[in-house]
Structures are given as C-alpha cells and as structure tokens.
Amino acid sequence: MTTSDGQRPAGSGILRHAPREQQWEPAVGGDEETAEAIDRHIETHFGPIASVWHEFASDLVNLHVYLVEPTPDRPYYTLVTSGMSELPMAVPDGHSPYAELMISLPADWPLSAGNFRDDAVSWPLGLLKMAARLPHEYRSWLGPWHSIPNGQPAEPYAPGVPFAGVLIAPMIRCADEAHTIVTAGGKEISLLALVPLHPAEMDLKVTSGTDALLDAFSRVDVSELFDPKRASSV
C-alpha cells in the first residue's frame, strides 16, 4: 500500500490497550469552527452527509461519526469522525497534533439502526470511535503507519470477523487535497484511514515492522475501502 504521492512509512508505532490512569472525564463544549470545517471537507471530497451518529455523554472529546452514502463517483459508504481534533495529541516534533479518522464500507453493508445491535455489523463504527479517543486517553498520538492490536493477544473484533487489529494509513482513493482539513482559523487536521488487519498481518507488523507489512500488501488489494472478504496478505 503506497499513497498517490509515493509516501512510505514514516513511523511504526504500536498503541496497545492498557489500564487507563485517569478517570472518565466529560468533554467540554465542542469546537464549532472545527466541526464546521470538517462538515465542509466531507461534503467537498466525499459527498453529502446523510446522517450523524452523535454522542450525548462524551469522554474527553465530543466524538461523532458522519455517514456519506454511496455516490456515482464513490460507490460505497464513507464514515468520518468529528471531535478527535478538539484536543491536540501528544506528538513529537514535526508531526501534526490534530487528526480525524475515516473508513469506507461496501455499498451492501447493512447500515440500518436495527442491524447495529449486531457486533458483526457495528464493529467498524466502534473501531473508529475507539481509535479516535485512544490518543487522548493515553496521552499519546496516532499518525501514518501506526497500528493498534485489538487486545493482547489480539482478538477478532466480533464473532465471525477475521480482523484483529488496525493500521492507520494515508487515504489513496481521493485527491491529495482531501488529506488535510483546514479550519477558517488555519488549524490543519490530518485525515487518516483505518485499514483492518488479519491476526497474521498484525503479528508481521509487530515483529518485522511497517515495510514488511506493506510488502505483503503488494500481493492484495488494500485501501481505505474495507473488504470484509479480503484474504490475509501473509
């Protein structure tokens, strides 16, 4: 998996779930300017916003997920977070402290309210929200080529689901301008994709690094458009 501008791994961080030191902390009022910029960005680059999954009692940040339905140009669903960028991440020098996350799902994904009681359907939404809150929970950061195993040892996200971790990666199915959200005040927010990983792919990333995983990806079709039937590249 190489981006349209030839970008290759700049980091190989692995964020693991660990006991959280701080207690649940209610989010303060949302950042209206940032939320408006995210709205505009989604509609410009992905399509009209069809609906939003809101949080009404949020921990640390007010985290919502926007849904764009399939369009002729993008014949699949697109889900984008809003709220992760309310707070800066604890980044090293030279990296953006603000980010939001996205994933695309096939057009036949059963996105109805009743189906979301089924973990086998709703886990991508939960994955987005978990990953978006994680750097604020652990005073860390997420950037391109970081990965998050689902527990230790990594376990599938839901019964019957063969994916047990996720890679944070640049998007490749969009224009370069879609990679960065810019607010009216000039705040720049990286928009990054989630790429679910099979257990063997997660193990390869942990043991051999990002380059080894991307070499394996060259044998399969991997992008921000999630394929639930994708075979492991390892």
Side-chain angles (χ1 to χ4, degrees):
M1 180 178 183
T2 302
T3 59
S4 58
D5 61 359
Q7 184 179 352
R8 291 288 285 178
S12 299
I14 300 167
L15 274 71
R16 301 182 186 278
H17 297 275
R20 179 173 158 181
E21 296 178 358
Q22 65 193 95
Q23 298 297 314
W24 190 91
E25 181 179 324
V28 297
D31 182 342
E32 187 172 332
E33 181 181 283
T34 296
E36 290 176 353
I38 294 170
D39 287 359
R40 290 194 303 270
H41 191 88
I42 291 171
E43 298 208 333
T44 297
H45 295 286
F46 305 124
I49 295 169
S51 59
V52 184
W53 285 284
H54 290 286
E55 280 190 348
F56 296 101
S58 297
D59 183 19
L60 299 172
V61 292
N62 295 283
L63 192 58
H64 313 293
V65 178
Y66 288 71
L67 173 67
V68 177
E69 293 182 338
T71 67
D73 290 336
R74 294 174 59 85
Y76 39 82
Y77 290 103
T78 299
L79 283 67
V80 183
T81 64
S82 177
M84 180 182 179
S85 57
E86 283 183 357
L87 297 175
M89 299 181 291
V91 299
D93 291 342
H95 294 273
S96 172
Y98 299 104
E100 296 289 349
L101 303 174
M102 64 81 66
I103 191 171
S104 291
L105 300 176
D108 60 356
W109 198 270
L111 284 176
S112 66
N115 287 333
F116 265 75
R117 298 187 183 95
D118 183 354
D119 289 345
V121 172
S122 64
W123 69 268
L125 176 63
L127 177 59
L128 273 171
K129 296 177 75 170
M130 178 280 295
R133 189 166 275 121
L134 196 67
H136 301 306
E137 289 181 307
Y138 297 103
R139 298 181 179 89
S140 185
W141 69 293
L142 286 179
W145 316 119
H146 286 181
S147 57
I148 310 169
N150 187 37
Q152 190 174 1
E155 298 181 350
Y157 288 110
V161 173
F163 298 91
V166 66
L167 180 73
I168 313 300
M171 300 178 293
I172 61 176
R173 290 175 170 263
C174 60
D176 290 344
E177 293 78 13
H179 291 207
T180 306
I181 302 165
V182 182
T183 71
K187 175 180 172 181
E188 295 189 356
I189 303 164
S190 298
L191 181 55
L192 298 165
L194 298 187
V195 179
L197 300 178
H198 285 271
E201 294 170 334
M202 192 71 243
D203 289 344
L204 179 65
K205 171 68 160 57
V206 171
T207 59
S208 301
T210 304
D211 280 319
L213 177 61
L214 295 189
D215 287 343
F217 276 175
S218 67
R219 297 190 288 271
V220 295
D221 183 15
V222 180
S223 73
E224 65 268 26
L225 175 55
F226 173 59
D227 177 3
K229 298 179 181 179
R230 178 178 74 82
S232 173
S233 63
V234 178

